[in-house]
Amino acid sequence: MGGRRRVELRDPLCPGTGVEAVGLVEGEIELTHGGSSVSARGWLRVPIRLECSRCLVEFVQVLQISVNEECALEQVDTPEAQLIARGKEGQIPILNEEDVDLSELVRQLVAMEVPSRPLCRDDCAGLCPRCGRPLSSGPCPCGEDEIDPRWSALRDLKL
Ligand SMILES: [Zn+2]
Ligand SMILES: [Zn+2]
């Protein structure tokens, strides 16, 4: 490849990102060959399944990733090898035989963008500390029929 090239993506998410995609990875990336490296610019989008870190509900979030990376024209090997290579060179390899292979670029960007504390919504109320039910629809009713220890003490009082 030489010069400039636009790649459209519409592929299943490659393994190794630590998340489950519920749809295809879509995107448009422009590769510009300059000297020893290739710059990749564009965007990626992939719907992934997450678990809310507060209420543990599963939900789908579309990751929107803007791509601005320096890549190397090196063979994409195993993911483990590439993590080490990236630590040394800071460049993601994007070559598979003679053609570009953006799977490693996608894998690393998605792995980086997955939220570490996902929330089903910004104001998620989490779970009831008493019974563990989600508090999404207001205060939990579990406390209502609970007998306040002070009242039970009164009730036991022999008058
Ligand atoms: Zn939640
Ligand atoms: Zn409750």
Side-chain angles (χ1 to χ4, degrees):
M1 67 168 273
R4 190 172 283 234
R5 177 168 163 185
R6 179 175 291 266
V7 182
E8 285 193 19
L9 290 168
R10 218 180 141 72
D11 302 311
L13 183 63
C14 45
T17 57
V19 285
E20 182 198 347
V22 294
L24 297 176
V25 180
E26 294 182 70
E28 236 177 68
I29 293 175
E30 189 169 83
L31 301 168
T32 313
H33 200 170
S36 59
S37 67
V38 176
S39 34
R41 307 213 193 294
W43 57 271
L44 292 172
R45 185 166 57 201
V46 58
I48 57 169
R49 193 189 303 282
L50 292 171
E51 188 181 80
C52 177
S53 60
R54 277 191 208 151
C55 72
L56 309 180
V57 146
E58 279 199 347
F59 64 102
V60 170
Q61 181 177 323
V62 178
L63 279 187
Q64 306 265 14
I65 303 170
S66 65
V67 181
N68 191 352
E69 289 287 326
E70 291 300 310
C71 302
L73 278 177
E74 283 169 20
Q75 292 291 325
V76 171
D77 203 352
T78 63
E80 288 81 1
Q82 294 323 318
L83 276 180
I84 296 161
R86 193 171 189 216
K88 277 202 307 247
E89 311 284 330
Q91 293 187 338
I92 302 170
I94 54 163
L95 201 63
N96 186 1
E97 305 292 333
E98 290 297 295
D99 204 5
V100 290
D101 175 353
L102 297 183
S103 62
E104 182 58 21
L105 177 71
V106 170
R107 192 185 70 76
Q108 295 207 13
L109 290 174
V110 169
M112 265 188 282
E113 291 290 323
V114 171
S116 53
R117 285 183 58 77
L119 290 177
C120 62
R121 52 178 216 229
D122 287 343
D123 61 346
C124 172
L127 298 175
C128 171
R130 265 189 304 258
C131 71
R133 257 184 291 207
L135 294 176
S136 47
S137 49
C140 187
C142 73
E144 283 170 7
D145 44 52
E146 199 176 88
I147 297 157
D148 188 305
R150 283 167 302 178
W151 289 111
S152 70
L154 268 185
R155 200 177 47 192
D156 292 343
L157 210 63
K158 301 260 184 309
L159 292 172

